[in-house]
Amino acid sequence: AFNKVWLDNNDTYFVIIGGIQRDEIYDQLCEYVETLPCGKNVILILSMTNPLPIVKACDGFILASHYEGFGLVLVEADILGLPVVSTDITGPRTFMQKNNGTLVENTAEGVEKGLIKFVGDDCKNAFYAAVEARQVRPGLCKTAGLFWRRCFNIDSITVGETDDKEVSSMVIVSSGDERTLEQIEKQL
């Protein structure tokens, strides 16, 4: 669904956070994403201790699931002030209806319609206004992308302002063996 949306909005990014462990399914997803025209704009993060800084940097949140119990992530995204979209499934339905969320059909076309809500003029203006206000989204997306493309994992990430309006500070917590950490340091 994102690939279709990206074709008309190739300045957008799609961040997927989730999973328990690196396994064959995750590796297949990484390989699949790399074959898509939008692949460089899709960021996969297997898991994070605190994903909220990345979620907050996004224009919206979508829960695209075929089956889900009530997802606490919907409440977290709502608290962060993001527009929230979910496929119309049992778990999130009542929350979405009571809290002005958007429910979409539980199909690829429904997810595509939900994604389109985030790339309209209002969201693009919000994105560019956030960049002007120094909310450092491009750097955050590039850094997260650098990690996933090399199959490194981010445990936590925090971005803050500095006295220099052109420079932000970023604290990244990651784990791995000595070689992995050395590679992370070189890439950054």
Side-chain angles (χ1 to χ4, degrees):
F2 175 70
N3 195 58
K4 288 182 181 179
V5 172
W6 177 84
L7 290 172
D8 292 328
N9 305 279
N10 57 19
D11 60 341
T12 58
Y13 286 85
F14 191 60
V15 180
I16 301 172
I17 303 173
I20 298 171
Q21 62 184 0
R22 184 165 176 180
D23 58 14
E24 186 177 327
I25 293 171
Y26 180 78
D27 290 339
Q28 289 172 354
L29 180 59
C30 288
E31 290 172 15
Y32 173 70
V33 166
E34 290 179 2
T35 68
L36 297 172
C38 67
K40 292 196 184 300
N41 289 49
V42 176
I43 299 167
L44 298 173
I45 301 171
L46 183 58
S47 66
M48 292 182 71
T49 303
N50 179 12
L52 296 181
I54 289 180
V55 174
K56 184 163 178 54
C58 295
D59 286 317
F61 179 86
I62 188 161
L63 179 67
S65 185
H66 291 293
Y67 173 80
E68 187 86 25
F70 177 71
L72 186 57
V73 294
L74 294 170
V75 176
E76 293 168 336
D78 189 54
I79 288 169
L80 292 171
L82 297 176
V84 179
V85 173
S86 175
T87 49
D88 190 5
I89 54 178
T90 306
R93 186 177 297 133
T94 301
F95 174 81
M96 298 295 286
Q97 291 169 337
K98 287 184 178 180
N99 293 284
N100 299 317
T102 301
L103 290 169
V104 296
E105 186 178 315
N106 190 9
T107 62
E109 293 78 20
V111 172
E112 181 182 344
K113 287 178 184 176
L115 290 170
I116 288 171
K117 295 182 83 48
F118 302 138
V119 295
D121 290 337
D122 291 342
C123 285
K124 283 187 177 180
N125 290 340
F127 174 79
Y128 292 118
V131 171
E132 289 298 314
R134 301 211 347 84
Q135 289 186 9
V136 297
R137 269 197 209 144
L140 187 61
C141 285
K142 286 180 183 177
T143 301
L146 176 141
F147 271 71
W148 94 260
R149 283 187 182 83
R150 288 159 182 83
C151 296
F152 301 146
N153 199 36
I154 298 172
D155 294 327
S156 179
I157 188 168
T158 305
V159 180
E161 294 184 9
T162 66
D163 292 336
D164 182 343
K165 291 184 180 186
E166 300 298 317
V167 177
S168 296
S169 67
M170 187 177 295
V171 176
I172 301 167
V173 177
S174 188
S175 56
D177 60 27
E178 190 174 317
R179 184 178 181 280
T180 299
L181 295 175
E182 181 181 318
Q183 287 298 313
I184 291 171
E185 189 175 326
K186 284 180 182 179
Q187 294 300 320
L188 291 173

